[in-house]
Amino acid sequence: MIAVLLAFVQLPATHPPVHGIVRDAALGTLVASAQVATRAARTFTAANGTFTIPAQRGDTLFVRRIGYAPVTVVVRDDDATLTIALSPLAMALPATVVSADAAPTPAATSIDVAALDTAAVRSTAEALERLPFVSVRNSRGGVALSMRGSRPEQVLVTLDGIPLNDPATGVADIADIPLAALGSLTAIPGAAGATYGSGASGGVLALTTSARPVLSVYGGSLGAAGASGAVARRAGEIAVRAGGAWSRVTGDFPFRNTVTDPPQDEERVNNDAQHAALFGSLTTPALHVVALASRTDQGLVGPMNVRVFDDARSRTDRALAGAAWTHHALTLHASARLLDYDFRDPPSEPSLTVSRSYDIELENRWVGGALVARAGAGADHVSGDNLRTTTRPRAFAAVAHEERRGPWSGEAALRVDAIRDARTEWSPSLRAAWSGPVRIALRWSQAFRAPTFFDLYFASPQRIVSVPSLRPERVTTDAELSVAWTAGTITASASGFVRRTRDAIVWFPGNFSWSPTNAARERVQGVEARARWTPAGGAELELWGALRSTQLRTREGAVVPTPYVPAADGGASARVALGDVTVSGALRVIGRRPFVVVPDPPPDKELPAVALADLGVAWPLPLRDVHALATLGVRNVANVDWQSVVGYPNARRSWSAGITMQF
């Protein structure tokens, strides 16, 4: 009887499990807490990036994690173990990945934050200095970035896809982003207007959050001290990570004042800073959330030989949160951020300038095979003393399509942005690549940057200048040809590029009102090359260098160089294991940089070339169940006296010692 009943009962079909691993396409590192789903099942990758899910031939896997572009994978008969590459949201990589053949464009460079443990890198700013072809400028405690000769407001910085650029100034100061919150840093030079719209006209720096539990403490010269940590927990399908960071530096150091006549040795004062931050992330079967809040208190030291800023102080509060909800091929992304800046001179007096910037954005993303469609809307709001209160709404729609034919792949994307105080702007892009013994990639794109609030309504204690006629700057051509090849343990790549901008928004020094204007043309062109050698034994050597020319043409017809862009720069990094001890070093070489906008600036109007070397030593500590490293780092080993911005000297040789533990 039982046999007869079973013959008429159709048991539910069961599928054999599919095993796989998810990696970061830029770094090759394992990606934890990535959601892998079919129409009938859902799971998450473990801490080692692996997953197992019931599926059969022809099923489609939907793979996504906040901070990465979602991908779809079709299960095949020969897929014993799937390897899936997730690309940081800023990277122009395919929307559909069938196996592990995705790779970043040869021009993109990435750093795994965990790999910096042995290099005694203490801050996000120091980590950025390790990225080839990325220029980091420091003045008055801030950090500004440049890629391929771009101005800082042309570089868009994102954290898990959330833009960090200040809506008021257009610049992203990430000095307060704790390194413990980050998992990777990826720099993608070139215009990315089809992905991000306004502001991504010179390059994108994509920061992604980490999933690893870690604890780090350090101390060093110039009164430096800091501690950071994060814990990670998983309960079923819910993963949570939370942490915090605190650091301080007295910062006063001796320097050579070259402005005085004769030059004399002085002490840099009011150069202290204190950072505090809290961060966290939450992952559930359908929801990914990231949040960060920070406060920075610091002295606003002025240029050398200018003592009026000796009592000036500032406080900057930052808060941001982002969430992504997914349902099969649909993703809804929402983010909000706040920047609150308070300037006091002296500290006991009422604030001279208070500015608050709010940004809210909603985005909808739909993935259908090789087609990705996106639409979104948001608003920026700025208010403050001596600053016109204004709210600027914006909206966009974008579509991208990718095709693969054997070793060939291509992608076309188009985005249209509508922003108040700016024209409706189109941002197209085209990419073609061939994967063979030599990988070749060709890219062409356009982009734009809408005037910021400070561009339109500049505020200062002296005057407010309204520039309502300022036009958006337009990158009419951003073209790049890249090649890369691998021979055994050596990987090399080279790129040639050109960027032409119309109506470039430039703050020309010397204007009576110190207000921005639209330059007629800006042109940047050059070549970049790098090579990496990874022999057996964990050693590593990387060399890189770039040659470029930059040129601004004013509406009066004058041709001037873009300030602070060197015609040549380069560097090297190396790591070697000597028994249990790891020794790492980094070298940065920065060519001469003009700091005035005049034709053919003389040598006394240029910062001299400089070579800066850093050294780190790490050795393991005998702690049970904990991977612990003791580290000692020395920055500017040669004790070079140098400036990244004219008039603002940098500290010479400094050191730090610390302990980093990963649980």
Side-chain angles (χ1 to χ4, degrees):
M1 179 65 70
I2 295 177
V4 173
L5 291 176
L6 288 177
F8 287 94
V9 174
Q10 184 175 2
L11 297 177
T14 59
H15 300 317
V18 171
H19 306 282
I21 186 168
V22 177
R23 293 185 178 274
D24 187 301
L27 300 167
T29 53
L30 304 172
V31 176
S33 301
Q35 181 185 208
V36 183
T38 66
R39 298 289 181 182
R42 181 183 292 124
T43 188
F44 286 89
T45 56
N48 61 357
T50 61
F51 68 89
T52 300
I53 190 169
Q56 63 180 347
R57 182 181 183 273
D59 281 354
T60 298
L61 304 184
F62 302 93
V63 186
R64 51 180 55 85
R65 184 188 187 277
I66 191 168
Y68 292 87
V71 302
T72 57
V73 179
V74 178
V75 179
R76 303 175 305 192
D77 281 339
D78 55 351
D79 286 327
T81 299
L82 282 171
T83 301
I84 302 168
L86 287 183
S87 308
L89 276 176
M91 299 193 68
L93 292 182
T96 303
V97 179
V98 177
S99 61
D101 54 358
T105 59
T109 57
S110 299
I111 288 181
D112 181 2
V113 171
L116 297 176
D117 290 345
T118 59
V121 171
R122 307 300 182 192
S123 67
T124 301
E126 291 183 24
L128 292 174
E129 293 174 352
R130 301 298 180 100
L131 281 169
F133 314 123
V134 175
S135 174
V136 180
R137 304 170 192 165
N138 299 281
S139 66
R140 306 188 79 178
V143 175
L145 303 177
S146 174
M147 296 184 195
R148 289 184 174 171
S150 67
R151 287 166 273 115
E153 59 270 21
Q154 293 178 302
V155 177
L156 185 72
V157 181
T158 66
L159 175 63
D160 279 352
I162 304 172
L164 300 182
N165 296 57
D166 185 350
T169 64
V171 177
D173 180 3
I174 55 176
D176 60 342
I177 303 297
L179 194 60
L182 304 179
S184 66
L185 304 86
T186 301
I188 306 96
T195 302
Y196 282 103
S198 177
S201 52
V204 176
L205 174 68
L207 310 176
T208 62
T209 53
S210 175
R212 65 171 184 152
V214 66
L215 175 63
S216 178
V217 294
Y218 73 90
S221 57
L222 305 178
S228 61
V231 294
R233 293 290 185 269
R234 179 182 289 274
E237 295 183 322
I238 300 176
V240 178
R241 185 177 189 259
W246 171 87
S247 66
R248 73 167 191 194
V249 61
T250 304
D252 297 344
F253 58 85
F255 72 99
R256 185 71 170 171
N257 191 334
T258 58
V259 179
T260 59
D261 189 17
Q264 60 186 21
D265 293 327
E266 295 184 14
E267 183 84 7
R268 195 73 163 151
V269 298
N270 194 36
N271 201 37
D272 64 299
Q274 181 170 300
H275 303 280
L278 295 173
F279 53 87
S281 63
L282 169 70
T283 303
T284 73
L287 183 66
H288 303 273
V289 179
V290 60
L292 182 143
S294 65
R295 166 166 288 188
T296 297
D297 291 282
Q298 64 184 24
L300 290 183
V301 61
M304 65 173 68
N305 210 42
V306 177
R307 311 313 299 264
V308 70
F309 295 103
D310 281 0
D311 293 322
R313 309 287 301 176
S314 77
R315 186 188 69 234
T316 303
D317 293 322
R318 182 198 299 268
L320 63 90
W325 176 81
T326 60
H327 181 69
H328 299 302
L330 182 67
T331 299
L332 177 64
H333 184 271
S335 65
R337 56 195 172 103
L338 161 69
L339 281 172
D340 192 323
Y341 177 76
D342 186 352
F343 167 73
R344 299 172 183 267
D345 183 20
S348 59
E349 296 296 326
S351 300
L352 291 181
T353 301
V354 177
S355 66
R356 294 178 177 87
S357 305
Y358 304 87
D359 171 88
I360 300 174
E361 183 168 296
L362 293 172
E363 177 183 333
N364 192 32
R365 178 191 297 260
W366 177 81
V367 180
L371 182 70
V372 178
R374 301 162 53 224
D380 299 313
H381 175 85
V382 171
S383 63
D385 298 353
N386 295 337
L387 185 63
R388 174 176 172 175
T389 300
T390 185
T391 301
R392 181 162 65 181
R394 48 188 164 78
F396 80 93
V399 63
H401 180 74
E402 196 260 343
E403 286 287 343
R404 283 174 172 263
R405 300 292 174 86
W408 291 94
S409 65
E411 184 182 54
L414 178 65
R415 171 168 169 153
V416 58
D417 285 85
I419 305 175
R420 205 193 72 183
D421 298 327
R423 300 173 301 217
T424 299
E425 296 285 348
W426 297 81
S427 301
S429 71
L430 296 171
R431 180 187 61 85
W434 182 74
S435 298
V438 176
R439 300 183 300 278
I440 303 174
L442 179 64
R443 180 187 57 81
W444 173 88
S445 61
Q446 292 185 337
F448 76 102
R449 185 174 75 84
T452 66
F453 292 108
F454 273 27
D455 291 332
L456 293 171
Y457 316 108
F458 174 60
S460 76
Q462 290 77 31
R463 62 188 298 155
I464 300 175
V465 178
S466 179
V467 195
S469 62
L470 201 65
R471 294 180 294 276
E473 69 176 26
R474 179 78 183 170
V475 176
T476 57
T477 297
D478 188 286
E480 173 186 358
L481 175 63
S482 302
V483 296
W485 62 96
T486 300
T489 58
I490 298 177
T491 301
S493 63
S495 301
F497 62 89
V498 60
R499 183 175 70 248
R500 300 181 186 275
T501 305
R502 183 187 68 225
D503 294 329
I505 302 173
V506 182
W507 291 66
F508 282 115
N511 288 3
F512 171 74
S513 59
W514 191 256
S515 60
T517 187
N518 286 117
R521 293 285 187 271
E522 183 181 33
R523 186 192 68 194
V524 182
Q525 59 189 22
V527 294
E528 300 169 341
R530 59 179 171 145
R532 186 179 184 185
W533 179 43
T534 53
E540 182 180 296
L541 173 65
E542 185 172 21
L543 304 172
W544 61 273
L547 297 173
R548 67 181 69 84
S549 68
T550 63
Q551 192 179 85
L552 278 167
R553 182 180 294 274
T554 68
R555 297 209 169 271
E556 293 74 24
V559 178
V560 298
T562 303
Y564 293 108
V565 177
D569 59 9
S573 63
R575 183 177 66 223
V576 62
L578 304 175
D580 290 337
V581 177
T582 301
V583 180
S584 60
L587 174 68
R588 287 176 292 149
V589 180
I590 310 172
R592 301 185 66 87
R593 293 142 288 153
F595 55 82
V596 294
V597 282
V598 298
D600 300 319
D604 63 340
K605 299 301 181 182
E606 293 181 319
L607 291 173
V610 64
L612 305 167
D614 300 334
L615 182 66
V617 181
W619 60 96
L621 297 176
L623 298 180
R624 180 178 297 178
D625 300 327
V626 176
H627 176 65
L629 287 174
T631 59
L632 175 64
V634 181
R635 287 174 54 82
N636 194 357
V637 175
N639 205 32
V640 176
D641 188 3
W642 74 291
Q643 304 171 45
S644 59
V645 176
V646 66
Y648 290 89
N650 292 86
R652 298 175 185 172
R653 184 187 301 120
S654 62
W655 62 270
S656 66
I659 297 175
T660 299
M661 294 175 284
Q662 183 170 335
F663 303 94

